Structures are given as structure tokens and as C-alpha cells.
Amino acid sequence: MTRNFSKSKKRRLRLRSKLALENIKEMLNRAFLEGYRCNIERSIILGRQARRLSKATGVKIPWYFKFFFCKKCKRFLIPGKTMRIRIRNRRESHITITCLLCGSIKRVPLRHR
Ligand SMILES: [Zn+2]
């Protein structure tokens, strides 16, 4: 769907999504900090808020954060605390990410580049 926005509205929308992205990044960085300070609950809440903001504004969460969200329970995971990472060499080499809160496993293949 194409809409004809005036120039100022376009600029405002771009500014809005830029601000949203900055907020999302800041929230997730804070979620990591809280997680490493053992405030698991608070980091999960921050992760949820970031996801909500991303959904409400239509701004995507940066790709490098997607490994830290459980695909099943959608909670934010802290490496070494609520998330287990292992390298597997069976079949194709891959990394398995286990959510210790609900037990779901995510596989990330390692491809040669
Ligand atoms: Zn989970």
C-alpha cells in the first residue's frame, strides 16, 4: 500500500522509527546488564518491552539480538544463566541454543564463507 505523505510527515515517521530503534537497542543492552547482575526477572521484562515496542512501531529488532529471544516462550535469554550454547559437529556443524526456562532448542548452522 502506498500512501502519499507530505514531506514533513515522512520525515517525522523516519525520525520516529529511528528513535524507536535507539530505544530498542538501549532496552536490550540494559536487559543484558540486568541479566549479568542476576536480575533475571527485570531483564525478561525489558526484553518483553523491547519486543512490544518493535511490534507497535514496526521497527525490526537488529538481527544480532534475535539469538537472545526464545522462539517458543519469547523470553529474553542471558548466556550462561537462562541459555545454554553448545557447538555440535554432527551432521552439519551447528550451534544449539537451549532455553533453560522452557527447554526449547534452536539450531544455528555454521556455514563456511
Ligand atoms: Zn523458552
Side-chain angles (χ1 to χ4, degrees):
M1 192 171 72
T2 51
R3 274 181 283 183
N4 273 326
F5 289 135
S6 62
K7 233 176 191 175
S8 68
K9 180 147 193 194
K10 251 184 200 164
R11 201 176 297 144
R12 215 178 326 132
L13 280 175
R14 209 179 300 143
L15 182 68
R16 184 169 165 250
S17 61
K18 198 181 155 202
L19 285 175
L21 184 65
E22 272 171 23
N23 267 318
I24 287 170
K25 281 184 187 168
E26 203 186 298
M27 267 183 207
L28 291 176
N29 286 332
R30 264 179 61 205
F32 272 119
L33 270 179
E34 296 291 347
Y36 283 119
R37 288 180 190 144
C38 292
N39 294 327
I40 304 292
E41 283 296 313
R42 207 177 288 170
S43 92
I44 288 173
I45 289 169
L46 279 165
R48 197 186 299 146
Q49 280 175 348
R51 258 178 64 86
R52 258 187 216 152
L53 183 61
S54 144
K55 233 179 184 177
T57 55
V59 176
K60 275 191 180 169
I61 291 176
W63 65 271
Y64 45 85
F65 281 120
K66 79 178 177 193
F67 305 109
F68 301 100
F69 283 99
C70 174
K71 65 174 179 188
K72 197 177 169 197
C73 62
K74 316 283 189 220
R75 279 183 281 204
F76 191 72
L77 303 173
I78 306 297
K81 291 200 168 27
T82 54
M83 168 199 217
R84 193 200 297 139
I85 307 169
R86 293 286 182 267
I87 298 169
R88 302 267 185 224
N89 279 318
R90 276 193 197 169
R91 301 188 314 199
E92 199 183 353
S93 297
H94 59 277
I95 294 174
T96 59
I97 297 172
T98 311
C99 169
L100 300 180
L101 299 168
C102 73
S104 84
I105 298 168
K106 178 153 73 176
R107 286 194 188 83
V108 182
L110 298 172
R111 289 192 195 93
H112 297 289
R113 275 178 195 153

